[in-house]
C-alpha cells in the first residue's frame, strides 16, 4: 500500500542560542514511516538558517510577525496556499500559537489542518495562570506571584533569590532588590506585564515532551534530564530517562488539562525528592529530535492527528539516549539571500 | 543491601542511573565492589573478599566501604529494603 503524501508547513527555522524547534521537527518528519512529505518553511526573518537547508526544506516563505495581527497572517497564508496546497501547519513558537488557534476554522476551510490546544487550554497553562492550573490538577508548583509593581511585591516579604520570568519568554534568578528592578523593567518592556515571580527551588532539571490526541489521551511522553544548560537555561545536551514520578505528573497534567496536541513540561526535582512543574510549553520543544531518535516520532504523530488518521499510544522509548547540540556554519551564495529578501520566497527545489 | 536493578554499569566502569539521568565513572576498586554487591554479597562478605585481594585491614576497608555505600544511597542507586 502506498503511503500518503503531505505538504507540511513548519515555523521556527531560526537557530540562535535559544534555537527554534523547526529544523528538528523537519528532521523528524523526513524520518516518518507512515507518510512522505514536502516541507514548506515559514520564516519571519531572512537569516533563519532552516531556509537555507536544501535537503530539509523545499520552499520557504516570509510570513508576518504575530504582532502584525491575524488578518495579515491569514491574507499571507491564502497567497501561499494558492501555490503550495499545504495539508498541515506545525507552528513552533509560543507567540504565534494564539493566531493559529484563532484562525483554525478559516485555515481548515482552505484545506490546512492544525492540531493545537483550544484557546481555553492555551490560556490555562500560561505562566500567570500556572499556579491555579497546577493546584486544580494536584501538581506541585513553586510559589508564584504575578508582579505588576515591584514595590507591591517587595511588601509581600519574599526571600531572595527568586526566579523572575517574562510573560512569554526569559527567566532569570535574581538575588536582590536592585537586580530585581533592573530585570523587571527589561522583561516587562520586552514581553509586557505581568512578570512572574517564582520561588527559587534548587535541584535537577528535567523536561518532558508529550503529545495527546483530540480526546486528551496521552499518546507519547519522553522525559529528559538536562546535562548541559546554557546561560538562558536551555538544554545543550540531555539524556532520556525513565522516572515513574515524572510519568505520573504527565498523566496528571493531561487528565487535568484535557490537552490536545504536543506539549513540553519543564520540571525540577528538589533535593527532598519533590517534583515541581515550572512551566508548560504548548508546542514541540527544540530537543524533539532526541525523542525521535529514542523511538517516538512526535511530529509524525502530530501530522497524523491533524489529518484525522488513527494514532496508537507509544509510551515505550529507549532510555539512555543522549543528544549533544552543536552549531554549524553553512556557506551559501549571497544570491540566495537576495532572492529571499526581495521576493519573500526561497525555492530550494 | 541491594543495588537498584535498573542501574546500568559498563565493563569500563561507567554507571548510568536511568531514573535520574545521572552518570558516574568508577575506579577499578569501586567496580570490584559493585560487582560483589550485584552478586548479593553483604557488607561484611565484601570486606572479607576485598581484604583477601588487597593489603588492607578490615577496619580501614570498612571505613572506605561505608563511605562508598553512603554515596550510592545518596545518588539513589541502592534499593529500599
Amino acid at each position: 500500500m502506498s503511503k500518503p503524501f503531505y505538504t507540511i508547513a513548519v515555523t521556527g527555522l531560526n537557530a540562535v542560542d535559544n534555537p527554534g524547534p523547526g529544523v528538528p521537527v523537519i528532521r523528524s518528519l523526513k524520518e516518518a514511516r507512515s507518510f512522505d512529505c514536502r516541507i514548506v518553511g515559514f520564516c519571519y526573518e531572512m537569516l533563519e538558517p532552516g531556509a537555507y537547508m536544501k535537503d530539509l526544506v523545499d520552499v520557504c516563505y516570509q510570513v508576518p510577525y504575530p504582532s502584525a495581527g491575524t488578518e495579515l497572517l491569514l491574507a499571507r497564508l491564502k497567497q501561499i496556499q494558492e501555490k503550495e496546497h499545504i495539508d498541515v501547519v506545525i507552528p513552533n513558537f509560543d507567540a504565534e500559537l494564539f493566531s493559529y488557534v484563532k484562525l483554525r476554522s478559516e485555515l481548515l476551510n482552505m484545506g490546512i489542518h492544525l492540531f493545537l490546544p483550544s484557546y481555553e487550554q492555551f490560556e490555562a497553562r500560561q505562566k500567570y495562570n500556572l499556579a491555579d492550573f497546577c493546584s486544580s490538577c494536584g501538581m506541585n508548583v513553586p510559589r508564584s506571584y504575578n508582579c505588576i509593581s515591584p514595590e507591591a511585591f517587595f511588601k509581600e516579604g519574599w526571600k531572595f533569590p527568586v526566579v523572575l520570568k517574562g510573560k512569554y519568554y526569559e527567566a532569570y534568578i535574581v538575588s536582590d532588590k536592585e537586580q530585581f528592578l533592573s530585570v523587571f523593567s527589561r522583561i516587562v518592556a520586552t514581553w509586557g506585564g505581568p512578570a512572574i515571580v517564582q520561588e527559587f527551588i534548587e535541584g535537577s532539571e528535567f523536561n518532558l515532551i508529550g503529545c495527546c490526541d483530540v480526546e486528551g489521551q496521552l499518546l507519547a511522553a519522553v522525559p529528559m534530564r538536562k546535562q548541559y544548560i546554557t546561560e538562558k537555561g536551555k538544554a545543550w545536551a540531555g539524556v532520556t530517562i525513565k522516572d515513574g514520578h515524572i510519568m505520573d505528573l504527565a498523566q496528571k497534567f493531561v487528565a487535568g488539562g484535557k490537552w490536545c496536541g504536543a506539549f513540553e513540561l519543564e520540571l525540577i526535582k528538589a533535593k527532598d525528592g519533590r517534583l515541581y512543574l515550572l512551566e508548560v510549553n504548548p508546542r514541540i520543544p527544540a530537543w524533539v529530535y532526541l525523542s525521535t531518535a529514542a523511538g517516538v516520532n512526535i511530529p509524525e504523530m502530530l501530522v497524523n492527528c491533524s489529518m484525522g488518521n488513527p494514532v496508537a499510544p507509544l509510551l515505550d522509548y529507549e532510555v539512555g539516549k543522549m543528544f549533544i547540540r552543536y552549531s554549524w556554519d553553512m556557506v551559501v551564495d549571497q544570491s540566495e539571500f537576495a532572492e529571499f529578501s526581495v521576493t519573500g520566497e526561497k525555492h530550494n527545489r | 543491601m541491594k543495588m537498584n536493578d535498573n542501574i546500568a554499569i559498563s565493563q569500563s566502569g561507567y554507571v548510568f542511573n536511568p531514573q535520574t539521568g545521572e552518570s558516574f565513572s568508577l575506579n577499578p576498586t569501586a567496580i570490584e565492589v559493585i560487582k560483589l554487591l550485584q552478586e548479593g554479597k553483604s557488607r561484611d562478605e565484601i570486606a572479607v573478599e576485598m581484604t583477601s585481594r588487597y593489603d588492607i585491614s578490615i577496619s580501614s576497608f570498612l571505613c572506605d566501604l561505608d563511605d562508598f555505600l553512603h554515596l550510592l544511597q545518596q545518588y539513589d542507586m541502592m534499593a529500599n529494603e
Side-chain angles (χ1 to χ4, degrees), chain A residues 280-346:
Chain A
V280 178
N281 294 316
R283 51 157 176 82
I284 294 173
W287 59 274
V288 58
Y289 192 74
L290 175 67
S291 168
T292 305
V296 181
N297 192 330
I298 286 178
E300 180 180 8
M301 277 184 173
L302 206 62
V303 168
N304 280 321
C305 287
S306 305
M307 296 305 294
N309 300 332
V311 178
L314 180 54
L315 296 168
D316 280 335
Y317 54 88
E318 193 178 335
V319 177
K321 202 75 166 175
M322 283 179 69
F323 83 93
I324 303 159
R325 189 168 285 162
Y326 65 100
S327 62
W328 180 272
D329 297 346
M330 275 190 300
V331 176
V332 300
D333 196 279
Q334 200 183 15
S335 61
E336 292 187 39
F337 175 74
E339 174 205 345
F340 200 13
S341 301
V342 172
T343 65
E345 297 182 16
K346 185 172 183 310

Side-chain angles (χ1 to χ4, degrees), chain A residues 160-343:
Chain A
F160 286 97
V162 295
V163 181
L164 188 53
K165 296 180 165 187
K167 191 174 170 182
Y168 293 115
Y169 296 103
E170 296 191 77
Y172 298 93
I173 298 166
V174 296
S175 40
D176 54 41
K177 286 184 178 179
E178 287 69 32
Q179 199 184 1
F180 188 99
L181 288 168
S182 156
V183 174
F184 177 86
S185 54
R186 183 152 42 88
I187 61 176
V188 168
T190 309
W191 304 113
I196 295 89
V197 186
Q198 268 186 351
E199 174 190 4
F200 173 70
I201 291 173
E202 205 175 344
S204 303
E205 292 186 40
F206 300 89
N207 285 11
L208 179 140
I209 180 173
C211 185
C212 292
D213 66 15
V214 74
E215 280 152 13
Q217 178 191 204
L218 190 63
L219 296 174
V222 179
M224 174 271 286
R225 179 197 172 97
K226 292 182 181 180
Q227 288 188 301
Y228 189 97
I229 301 174
T230 67
E231 279 182 1
K232 289 192 173 173
K234 304 297 162 190
W236 212 254
V239 61
T240 55
I241 59 160
K242 191 175 186 72
D243 183 318
H245 295 117
I246 292 179
M247 295 307 257
D248 288 347
L249 192 139
Q251 291 285 6
K252 276 185 186 171
F253 164 74
V254 167
K258 296 271 182 285
W259 196 257
C260 170
F263 63 89
E264 180 193 32
L265 305 182
E266 295 189 16
L267 309 159
I268 195 158
K269 191 174 264 187
K271 287 184 174 171
D272 63 4
R274 291 184 76 183
L275 198 60
Y276 292 85
L277 181 63
L278 298 180
E279 227 165 85
V280 178
N281 294 316
R283 51 157 176 82
I284 294 173
W287 59 274
V288 58
Y289 192 74
L290 175 67
S291 168
T292 305
V296 181
N297 192 330
I298 286 178
E300 180 180 8
M301 277 184 173
L302 206 62
V303 168
N304 280 321
C305 287
S306 305
M307 296 305 294
N309 300 332
V311 178
L314 180 54
L315 296 168
D316 280 335
Y317 54 88
E318 193 178 335
V319 177
K321 202 75 166 175
M322 283 179 69
F323 83 93
I324 303 159
R325 189 168 285 162
Y326 65 100
S327 62
W328 180 272
D329 297 346
M330 275 190 300
V331 176
V332 300
D333 196 279
Q334 200 183 15
S335 61
E336 292 187 39
F337 175 74
E339 174 205 345
F340 200 13
S341 301
V342 172
T343 65

